[in-house]
Each structure stands twice: as C-alpha cells, then as structure tokens.
Amino acid sequence: AQKITQTQPGMFVQEKEAVTLDCTYDTSDPSYGLFWYKQPSSGEMIFLIYQGSYDQQNATEGRYSLNFQKARKSANLVISASQLGDSAMYFCAMREEPQGGSEKLVFGKGMKLTVNP
Amino acid sequence: DTEVTQTPKHLVMGMTNKKSLKCEQHMGHRAMYWYKQKAKKPPELMFVYSYEKLSINESVPSRFSPECPNSSLLNLHLHALQPEDSALYLCASSQVWDNYEQYFGPGTRLTVT
C-alpha cells in the first residue's frame, strides 16, 4: 500500500522568506506521480505542482518548486518569497495505480502554513 | 476554462431529507471524482467516474448515490444521512490517464441535523 507522510502539523514563516514543506512517500511502484495542493480556508483544493517519478529535473511553477529526492523518497515543496495569501493547508498527494482506468490520489495529513507580516 | 463548479455552496438537511449535490466542468475531462473531507483531515475518495461509468466506489454507504448523466455533470444524491456525514464534499475532474492533475471545485459544506 502506498503512503504519504507529512510530519509538520504547522509552520510559521515571515512574509518574503522562503519555506520548505516536507513530504515523504512510500511505494513499490516504479512509476508514480507526486502532487502538492493548497487549501485555503474557503475550502477549494488548488493544484500547485506535479513531479513524475521519471522526471529528470525538479518541477518548478512560479514561486513553487519541488525538491525531489528519489532515493530518500521525499518530495518537499519549496515556496520562495512567501506572501500573506500563502497561508493555508498544504497537502502532498501521490497517484495510486489506476483502477478501472481511473487514477486515485492518496493524500497526506496536510500541514498548516501561516505567513506572518 | 479550468473551473469546476459545485452547487450548493452550503446545505443543511435533516436526517429524513433527500437532497442532491451537483458538480459541473467544461474542460473535456472524462474522469470525475467525489471526495468527503472532515475538518482538519485530508480528502477521502468516495467515487470515481471514468467515461461516465462508475469505476471506483470506496465502500461508501448506500445513502450516498452518485450519478454521472453526461461527461460534464456529476451528481451526488443524499438520502437518510446521519449527523456524522456532515463534511465538506469536494468534486474534482481530470484527464483519465497519465498523471494529470485533478481540478477541484470549491466544495459543498453539508450539515446534517
């Protein structure tokens, strides 16, 4: 069974500083995908970034980058230049083997990021 | 258009009521999902539709009944719910294959009294 671990329940960061959100995973499948989602208090899950297991380079999307260390099975999200609007819950997720032609996402417990002015 | 819409935003219903949650997307996605999320917990998958056919049912009680009338619409019919079913219900859609990200709607906050 695949598993996602986010051990930091909460973090605080000063505005404009960089922050790293930790995520480790466990899978025996050689082909997998890792995702990060942001969930503000409004409830919507917002896709941030994706990393495939065969991707040679770390994924980047604007201020978001993924520090992918395959041997350590970690996929940490780095947010550069934090903004007040970054305050939210952050979930790391992994794609499970497709069933019936459909993909499942397994989510970690999430962690709450608070950006202070 | 990368939007998934859900109606209603909020719903309060009694245990004997019948109600429906609606989800719509116009991104051409052929996979659609229902998730349940309790406070301070990650989303839990309930159902997956692939090409308008139910492909995954995560052992959800029969008081939740999904329906996919066409490739753009997904419904969740609710009947005889329990107070513990109160949660945020999220709809999502994606391409069917190849690690495509799921796009989520804003959710329906359901309270069962």
Side-chain angles (χ1 to χ4, degrees), chain B residues 80-96:
Chain B
L81 295 193
Q82 304 296 310
E84 59 265 27
D85 296 322
S86 299
L88 179 68
Y89 288 83
L90 292 162
C91 172
S93 71
S94 74
Q95 301 287 0
V96 174

Side-chain angles (χ1 to χ4, degrees), chain B residues 63-105:
Chain B
R63 58 186 184 268
F64 295 91
S65 175
E67 179 196 20
C68 190
N70 61 55
S71 60
S72 300
L73 292 174
L74 184 66
N75 298 322
L76 186 62
H77 302 297
L78 314 173
H79 173 55
L81 295 193
Q82 304 296 310
E84 59 265 27
D85 296 322
S86 299
L88 179 68
Y89 288 83
L90 292 162
C91 172
S93 71
S94 74
Q95 301 287 0
V96 174
W97 298 106
D98 284 349
N99 286 316
Y100 285 105
E101 62 269 24
Q102 294 182 18
Y103 289 88
F104 284 79

Side-chain angles (χ1 to χ4, degrees), chain A residues 96-117:
Chain A
E96 272 199 354
E97 190 64 27
Q99 299 178 30
S102 302
E103 303 212 328
K104 285 177 61 173
L105 284 181
V106 176
F107 287 88
K109 290 183 178 180
M111 68 83 64
K112 184 175 173 59
L113 177 68
T114 302
V115 180
N116 293 318

Side-chain angles (χ1 to χ4, degrees), chain B residues 2 12 21 26-27 30 36 49 66 73 88 94 99 101 113:
Chain B
T2 58
V12 179
L21 309 184
H26 295 287
M27 293 177 277
R30 300 306 295 275
K36 173 183 177 180
Y49 273 82
L73 292 174
L88 179 68
S94 74
N99 286 316
E101 62 269 24
T113 61

Side-chain angles (χ1 to χ4, degrees), chain A residues 36-93:
Chain A
W36 275 93
Y37 283 85
K38 169 186 176 181
Q39 188 175 38
S41 56
S42 59
E44 184 173 357
M45 296 282 283
I46 302 167
F47 166 73
L48 295 178
I49 198 166
Y50 163 77
Q51 179 83 43
S53 58
Y54 294 122
D55 293 344
Q56 295 296 315
Q57 294 188 327
N58 287 344
T60 60
E61 288 285 349
R63 294 186 300 112
Y64 304 108
S65 61
L66 205 152
N67 184 0
F68 182 47
Q69 298 189 39
K70 196 169 181 178
R72 294 187 176 183
K73 292 190 174 180
S74 74
N76 299 338
L77 176 71
V78 180
I79 305 175
S80 63
S82 300
Q83 300 173 355
L84 295 178
D86 294 333
S87 294
M89 285 290 292
Y90 287 81
F91 291 95
C92 181

